[in-house]
Amino acid sequence: YFSVYTVTTIGYGDVVPASVAERAYVCVAMLIGASTFALIVASLSGLLSEISGSEAFYRALMDALTDYCALHDVPPELHYRIRRYFAFRRQYHPLVGEQVLLAALSPDLRAAAAAAAYAELLAGPNSGGALLHGLPPNLLGPVCAAATTISYAPGEHVYRAGDVADACFALQRGELELVDAATDELRAQSRAAATDAVDNDILGPDSEAGTHAGLKVSAGQVFGEDRLLLGGARAESARCRTFCDVLRVPRAEALAAVR
């Protein structure tokens, strides 16, 4: 009896069993109670261990966002939009620190790993791109290694008309459109007029009248190549209609591969 209540950390109490039968019953009860407690602790430990580092990162990020919005009186609409952006990132970017991982590799391994992930998107037969199409793996690898993925919310611009053409892009997921400066301004005005709609950021910038439709770009397509060779300013704006993941390839690496 003394050993059982000591090992189970229950300790000696004011009310104690007096007979041998009572002590035996209490020992059994203490062992069952301790086993149940151990089972609960083990189950909770298992659940916590299943939470990956990425999951813990995004949970902490959401908690920090809540504290930030409360501290700085961020409007609820903006708080909601930021949460939806993080939810998109959490769904499609479970690997936190991907660039850190690639940076830890040797140059050849980094190029091979990046090419395995992005070569089909940048130079595949369905990409629609002309600049990088048909490049051999030894030239395409460094281009893929220099590429970075950027996520955009609905209504945001990958680039605007007049911006310097310093990169080309490939749309990994989502939908965007290429519009001229005048149409882009109409889009912005129409969206601003609809800010009182609760789901405006869900519908995206094309929820207004479609009389000024732009060139739509779908997932898997390359865009922004037209001014890359000669440089200069962009003639159109690339505006996201939905949440988008865009692969950005710097101009220097792209031109070095095709020269």
Side-chain angles (χ1 to χ4, degrees), residues 158-180:
V158 179
Y159 57 80
R160 296 177 184 271
D163 288 351
V164 176
D166 58 353
C168 64
F169 305 89
L171 185 59
Q172 293 175 283
R173 62 181 54 86
E175 186 178 284
L176 57 80
E177 61 181 352
L178 304 179
V179 295
D180 57 36

Side-chain angles (χ1 to χ4, degrees), residues 101-115 137-138 140-146:
L101 172 66
L102 293 176
L105 299 175
S106 66
D108 288 347
L109 287 177
R110 186 185 311 119
N138 63 312
L140 192 58
V143 176
C144 295

Side-chain angles (χ1 to χ4, degrees), residues 12-256:
Y12 188 82
D14 295 334
V15 179
V16 297
S19 64
V20 175
E22 290 175 348
R23 292 191 184 94
Y25 173 80
V26 172
C27 285
V28 173
M30 287 189 293
L31 288 173
I32 293 175
S35 299
T36 303
F37 177 74
L39 178 62
I40 294 173
V41 172
S43 299
L44 291 176
S45 299
L47 290 175
L48 292 176
S49 65
E50 291 177 359
I51 299 178
S52 64
S54 298
E55 183 71 15
F57 170 80
Y58 280 111
R59 286 177 181 270
L61 203 61
M62 290 295 192
D63 291 341
L65 173 62
T66 300
D67 294 339
Y68 178 89
C69 292
L71 180 63
H72 297 286
D73 295 325
V74 174
E77 297 81 5
L78 179 57
H79 185 181
Y80 172 67
R81 289 173 55 196
I82 297 174
R83 276 192 170 275
R84 290 187 64 245
Y85 176 83
F86 282 150
F88 172 80
R89 292 282 304 181
R90 179 180 180 179
Q91 180 178 358
Y92 293 106
H93 299 273
L95 180 59
V96 177
E98 180 176 346
Q99 294 302 318
V100 176
L101 172 66
L102 293 176
L105 299 175
S106 66
D108 288 347
L109 287 177
R110 186 185 311 119
Y118 304 135
E120 184 67 19
L121 176 66
L122 290 174
N126 299 321
S127 67
L131 187 64
L132 302 177
H133 180 69
L135 283 180
N138 63 312
L139 295 179
L140 192 58
V143 176
C144 295
T148 55
T149 297
I150 306 174
S151 298
Y152 295 91
E156 292 185 338
H157 288 81
V158 179
Y159 57 80
R160 296 177 184 271
D163 288 351
V164 176
D166 58 353
C168 64
F169 305 89
L171 185 59
Q172 293 175 283
R173 62 181 54 86
E175 186 178 284
L176 57 80
E177 61 181 352
L178 304 179
V179 295
D180 57 36
T183 303
D184 190 32
E185 181 64 24
L186 288 175
R187 290 274 197 255
Q189 293 175 1
S190 178
R191 186 176 178 85
T195 52
D196 56 340
V198 175
D199 291 332
N200 181 57
D201 59 322
I202 298 176
L203 296 174
D206 63 333
S207 58
E208 69 275 345
T211 55
H212 302 279
L215 177 63
K216 292 180 175 58
V217 179
S218 301
Q221 293 184 317
V222 172
F223 63 98
E225 289 183 325
D226 53 336
R227 300 278 177 157
L228 208 61
L229 288 175
L230 300 178
R234 301 278 186 187
E236 77 287 331
S237 297
R239 186 184 180 94
C240 297
R241 303 182 63 189
T242 65
F243 279 104
C244 294
D245 277 336
V246 177
L247 190 68
R248 180 184 185 275
V249 179
R251 178 174 182 264
E253 281 72 13
L255 294 184

